[in-house]
Amino acid sequence: MELRILWTMVFFITFFTASLSGERVEVRPPIVYSRDQLLALGASAAMPTAEQANIPREVRRKRRGTRAGIGRRSKVRRYRPAIPSIIMGNVRSLPNKADELAALTRHQRSYRECSLMCFTESWLTALTPDSHVNMDGFHLIRADRTAESGKKRGGGLAVFVNDRWCNSGHLSIKEKLCCKDIELLAVSMRPYYLPREFTHVIMIAVYVPPSASAAAACEVLHTVTSRLQTQHPQALFLISGDFNHISLSSTLPTFTQYVTCHTRDNKTLDLLYANTKEAYSSSPLPPLGGSDHNLVHLQPVYKPLVHREPVVKRTVRKWSAETEEALRDCFRSTVWDNLCSPLEDDLNSITDCITDYMNFCVDNTVPIKKVRCFSNNKPWINPEIKALLKEKKRVFRSGDKQELRVVQKKLKWKIRQGKENYRKKMEEQLQQDNITGVWNSLKTISGQKPTSQAAGDLGWVNDLNKYFNRFDQPPTPPPASSPLLQSPSSSGTACPSSQDFTPLSFTPPSSQSLHPLPASVDSNIHTPPPKPTLSISALQVRNELRKIKVRKAAGPDGVSSRLLRCCADELCGILGYLFNLSLSLGKVPQLWKTSCVVPVPKTSHPKDLSSYRPVALTSHLMKTLERLVLNHLRPLVRSSLDPLQFAYQPGIGVEDAIIYLLHRALTHLEKPGSTVRIMFFDFSSAFNTIQPRLLRDKLELSGVDHHMSQWILDYLTERPQYVRSQGCVSDTLVCSTGAPQGTVLAPFLFTLYTADFSINSPRCHLQKFSDDSAIVGLITGEDDSEYRQWTLDFVDWCQQNHLLINAGKTKELVVDFRRRRPTTLTPVNIQGVDIEIVDSYRYLGVHLNNKLDWSHNTDALYRKGQSRLYLLRRLRSFGVQGALLKTFYDSVVASVIFYSVVCWSSGLSAAERKRLDKLIRKASSVLGCTLDPVQVVGDRRTLAKITSLMDRVSHPMHGNVAELQSSFSDRLLHPRCMKERFRRSFLPAAVRLYNQNCSQQT
């Protein structure tokens, strides 16, 4: 009654106000509402949408704008999440909790709007119909416990799929399995919405009884998951359930576990694994009924690829056979003497002039195209397919079903054709041994996330430039007359720029007017200064230019690698002249010494400046000259190199360094009361700390002439550098000293720089692999004085030669198998820091531990091999089969699994060998052919290695093998082995294989 009086007063007040203002008032009948309509206003918010009362339009809440933010967007798109939201747990009998679950889905939003509900131990039997446990708005998929489990009651799996998230017609059961060790249910779902990087969702519900065998359960789960991944390599895999005492961290290392809260008392038994990172956040929910397991709510935090990486606009050059031929014609008709004669012997000016001319010809010949790159685009999607997608949407909205079928059929055929063309493209790359192209294509189609970088603002790149140059003088601003991408000329002669040339003077002439250059240096070029120390012919330059990889980034001079390779015949003469002029003068052009430093993150989430590794982009012309100089230096200094330097030696590599270290350690451990201590040194920016004058003296002692030493001295001094990151370039040039990382000569010069310090005594030796140095001390009893003294002497030598040892990253590995070992070891102190003693260390890519077994190394190989198998499956999904797929396996997958297999194949335990063989069997199922197991591959490569050791006199282990050669036959004598660990090492195993091979041949 009071409400009617209130509405009457409002009506009369409105009528009286309008009458005073002179407006015409339309008299309407009063609005009358029933009691049920008014009571429904308060309860409508808690009622489902389908059951809300018909509220009159005039009293509905009017929306004044829309709120923004993540929370608002998630409410609007609550049934279109990027990945499904999940509620999971162990319910222990679902039928008697069905009423409570139905009430939760009706009144609590987290249950009502979740995409999936996965429950273990449902205790459902054949006598329990679906109607007793089904819920409105959800579709039930169940897997009851069978007699194969060995138990009569308990168990069972149930998955509820929200109808608003996925239609029940798009659900299919991929696998249903029940045994005494595991219960498994795999369901495939194609929801209404899913990010483009996923094709569909495969949910695997798992229950592992407490009495199950962990190894058997993991084996079954791994087999099912691998088979489904092979069939659907681009699906989103979710593995949920009660795992009790097992973990999938080693079985499926590429999956991530997301449950971080306790699920039963203070234990986490219910887990969720997914094959993507940064996908979920977990929170506990109250248990259902009297269950002793809490429920877990997995809320999606996954950010789709298109949101993580915005659209990138790039400018590319459209190279073709026509443009390459036009450039060749342009350079054939060029009279180089007209460019070089006015500059006389000014090396910097001539270099700048020729560089500007080559870039000018490219700018006027090769067209530029601007493209937009979308992160979530499939590589086979072309503009025609995009147009058909828009057409399909338009036809769908029009409601013409007949036309929609036509467009759908055409779109399906176009997509199949696009994938087939892309498959042929990858097959051609494999046939041409272009593994780089195949690798880039696979990273594109797999949606690999690029390494994150810090924001590329100007202040950050300037700080980074100073940090990378912290070993030299402070930065100086660049000359105002020269941009950063070009080095200023040291003389006063102006270098012709691209503006000084007109397009008419470089129009490609007709084929009748071409005059080919001779094979040697162009006759029009004046002769360089006399007596060059190293004379480089045009043929040598042409051969090196043809080896340049066309996909390499250009240096600060902007000269494209493709230009140098396609025009090698035309440019070898002028470049040979430049190279000889540089060597005769003992100077390097300033432009060729300029480095564009690109910071590469060392970790996935870099935090400070020390988390970046500087990689220098230098001129391709300079790299070509460095390769020619390197070919000249190697035979000159071969006798002066450290015999225990395993890097950059012909026929010697990582495997030889590890074999030598383990052989000396295991031979010493055969003696009673013996231990081994290994100090692994880490240098800070080793190549940048080379002192040019010290290196020049060492080069002259090694037999390098004065002119070449002077050229190397100039090569290492006053090297301008700047930092470029995300399109931002530092506005200061710094002059650094030393050879930056990324140059050709830097690693070899470092081996020469450190060659004058070597240790090779019976109780201690120093072995090197470029800048990876390790001192191995063979200690008897407690006397480690020699090992400590040599370590301190090496530290003093490094200080005298300005090599900076990073004591924080330097580690020590102690191998001690004595029964009575000391409780504490006195660490070695370097530069006031006690060196940490570790249980395992990654040396040259191989994991060594203090037990000298291969458990850590097997774990690392298994994890990496699993990730590479995904790429093999993606390639197979495109229809690539046969020899081409086998080639990709050998170059990408097998190279990881069998990395340094000679070092560890004979020492593997049966369980470790079985684990790696299982990985190979999974690869063979993808290839469709039988692959050799670890034992066969290891024996084959071990036999080849022992044969090469016998033939290579310069190898450090040649003497050990020569001592075992029999004087009566071609066989080798077995080394004396008292302990099992030495019998399973490389040399005894190699001798057994070699003798078996001799017996088979005879």
Side-chain angles (χ1 to χ4, degrees), residues 90 172 270 380 592 764 935:
N90 187 322
S172 62
D270 303 290
W380 59 87
W592 290 0
C764 191
Q935 186 68 41

Side-chain angles (χ1 to χ4, degrees), residues 122-351:
S122 61
W123 293 14
L124 298 177
T125 63
L127 301 177
T128 308
D130 291 349
S131 59
H132 286 187
V133 293
N134 217 338
M135 295 178 296
D136 294 337
F138 287 85
H139 184 80
L140 171 64
I141 302 175
R142 52 190 275 188
D144 302 342
R145 174 172 284 182
T146 60
E148 287 80 2
S149 63
K151 297 181 180 180
K152 295 183 179 180
R153 63 184 301 273
L157 303 169
V159 176
F160 291 92
V161 182
N162 197 326
D163 293 337
R164 298 185 182 93
W165 178 70
C166 181
N167 191 294
S168 59
H170 297 164
L171 304 177
S172 62
I173 298 177
K174 290 291 184 179
E175 187 76 26
K176 187 184 290 188
L177 187 146
C178 182
C179 61
K180 64 177 183 179
D181 296 314
I182 190 173
E183 298 179 29
L184 185 143
L185 173 64
V187 184
S188 173
M189 296 164 280
R190 294 185 180 272
Y192 299 116
Y193 170 78
L194 205 62
R196 192 174 290 179
E197 52 263 31
F198 302 119
T199 54
H200 58 291
V201 179
I202 295 182
M203 181 73 179
I204 303 178
V206 176
Y207 174 66
V208 180
S211 60
S213 170
C218 290
E219 177 67 22
V220 172
L221 188 57
H222 182 272
T223 302
V224 173
T225 306
S226 298
R227 180 177 58 82
L228 293 177
Q229 281 186 314
T230 302
Q231 297 174 355
H232 312 283
Q234 214 171 357
L236 172 64
F237 279 81
L238 304 173
I239 305 177
S240 168
D242 186 357
F243 289 85
N244 278 309
H245 57 287
I246 76 168
S247 173
L248 300 182
S249 58
S250 59
T251 305
L252 297 174
T254 56
F255 281 64
T256 306
Q257 203 282 118
Y258 288 102
V259 178
T260 57
C261 56
H262 296 309
T263 60
R264 182 180 179 183
D265 297 333
N266 59 347
K267 298 179 182 179
T268 304
L269 304 180
D270 303 290
L271 307 176
L272 176 80
Y273 292 88
N275 63 339
T276 184
K277 296 182 179 179
E278 300 178 1
Y280 286 100
S281 65
S282 62
S283 58
L285 292 175
L288 278 182
S291 175
D292 56 351
H293 286 251
N294 297 330
L295 298 183
V296 182
H297 187 199
L298 280 305
Q299 296 173 320
V301 295
Y302 179 79
K303 196 174 183 180
L305 187 63
V306 70
H307 296 160
R308 293 199 306 263
E309 303 174 24
V311 180
V312 179
K313 296 181 180 180
R314 296 178 180 175
T315 302
V316 297
R317 292 193 178 275
K318 297 178 62 176
W319 289 85
S320 61
E322 292 77 12
T323 57
E324 292 179 359
E325 185 60 32
L327 283 173
R328 295 191 191 100
D329 294 341
C330 181
F331 291 133
R332 287 194 197 104
S333 61
T334 300
V335 182
W336 298 103
D337 189 58
N338 293 341
L339 297 176
C340 301
S341 296
L343 304 176
E344 298 180 352
D345 292 333
D346 190 344
L347 181 62
N348 287 320
S349 298
I350 295 177
T351 303

Side-chain angles (χ1 to χ4, degrees), residues 409-714:
K409 185 177 181 180
K410 187 176 181 180
L411 177 62
K412 186 177 181 180
W413 179 78
K414 282 293 182 181
I415 292 177
R416 187 184 296 114
Q417 186 182 26
K419 295 182 70 173
E420 180 67 17
N421 294 335
Y422 197 76
R423 179 187 65 82
K424 292 179 180 179
K425 175 184 175 181
M426 286 194 292
E427 284 184 350
E428 292 176 358
Q429 291 174 340
L430 279 172
Q431 290 174 347
Q432 299 170 1
D433 294 333
N434 185 9
I435 300 300
T436 303
V438 178
W439 185 257
N440 293 332
S441 301
L442 282 172
K443 288 194 295 185
T444 302
I445 63 180
S446 61
Q448 180 176 349
K449 182 179 178 181
T451 307
S452 60
Q453 293 190 10
D457 58 336
L458 184 60
W460 180 75
V461 294
N462 284 332
D463 294 340
L464 203 59
N465 199 18
K466 297 176 184 178
Y467 177 78
F468 290 154
N469 198 55
R470 62 189 182 278
F471 306 108
D472 295 287
Q473 62 270 20
T476 56
S481 60
S482 175
L484 282 175
L485 296 181
Q486 298 179 1
S487 177
S489 175
S490 59
S491 65
T493 307
C495 174
S497 61
S498 59
Q499 288 80 6
D500 298 331
F501 302 104
T502 59
L504 295 176
S505 59
F506 294 107
T507 302
S510 60
S511 58
Q512 290 79 6
S513 62
L514 293 179
H515 300 283
L517 294 175
S520 59
V521 183
D522 188 0
S523 59
N524 292 328
I525 302 174
H526 60 278
T527 306
K531 296 182 180 179
T533 58
L534 170 62
S535 179
I536 298 176
S537 65
L539 180 61
Q540 292 175 312
V541 177
R542 181 177 59 185
N543 293 338
E544 290 297 331
L545 292 178
R546 288 178 176 177
K547 297 178 184 178
I548 295 177
K549 298 181 180 179
V550 296
R551 296 185 64 87
K552 291 292 184 179
D557 58 355
V559 178
S560 170
S561 57
R562 186 162 184 171
L563 166 68
L564 298 177
R565 180 164 180 170
C566 70
C567 301
D569 295 337
E570 291 75 22
L571 295 177
C572 62
I574 184 60
L575 295 182
Y577 164 74
L578 276 179
F579 293 164
N580 287 320
L581 180 62
S582 172
L583 293 172
S584 61
L585 296 176
K587 294 182 180 180
V588 179
Q590 198 75 357
L591 181 60
W592 290 0
K593 291 197 296 184
T594 305
S595 303
C596 173
V597 179
V598 178
V600 178
K602 299 178 182 178
T603 59
S604 57
H605 298 285
K607 298 179 180 179
D608 51 12
L609 299 180
S610 61
S611 302
Y612 292 88
R613 178 181 291 108
V615 176
L617 297 179
T618 56
S619 172
H620 288 292
L621 300 176
M622 185 63 212
K623 290 181 179 179
T624 303
L625 178 57
E626 290 181 67
R627 295 187 185 98
L628 295 170
V629 172
L630 182 60
N631 296 334
H632 173 72
L633 285 178
R634 276 178 174 168
L636 294 178
V637 300
R638 185 170 298 168
S639 59
S640 303
L641 294 176
D642 189 350
L644 295 184
Q645 173 62 262
F646 291 88
Y648 314 109
Q649 302 294 328
I652 300 178
V654 171
E655 293 178 344
D656 303 272
I658 299 173
I659 288 172
Y660 185 78
L661 186 150
L662 293 176
H663 177 74
R664 292 201 61 171
L666 291 171
T667 305
H668 177 70
L669 290 173
E670 290 285 296
K671 305 173 185 178
S674 60
T675 58
V676 176
R677 301 184 70 168
I678 311 173
M679 183 71 67
F680 298 100
F681 290 94
D682 182 85
F683 295 100
S684 298
S685 299
F687 298 162
N688 294 93
T689 54
I690 296 177
Q691 296 300 310
R693 298 191 180 276
L694 294 178
L695 178 62
R696 184 184 60 178
D697 298 338
K698 297 178 181 181
L699 287 173
E700 293 180 354
L701 292 176
S702 301
V704 180
D705 57 81
H706 178 72
H707 292 283
M708 181 58 66
S709 300
Q710 186 65 29
W711 185 88
I712 295 177
L713 176 65
D714 187 75

Side-chain angles (χ1 to χ4, degrees), residues 346-364:
D346 190 344
L347 181 62
N348 287 320
S349 298
I350 295 177
T351 303
D352 294 343
C353 177
I354 294 177
T355 300
D356 290 339
Y357 175 70
M358 289 191 295
N359 290 332
F360 174 79
C361 294
V362 172
D363 293 339
N364 287 272

Side-chain angles (χ1 to χ4, degrees), residues 764-781:
C764 191
H765 78 273
L766 168 66
Q767 65 178 65
K768 311 167 188 173
F769 194 93
S770 189
D771 59 333
D772 291 314
S773 303
I775 293 182
V776 182
L778 310 177
I779 301 168
T780 302

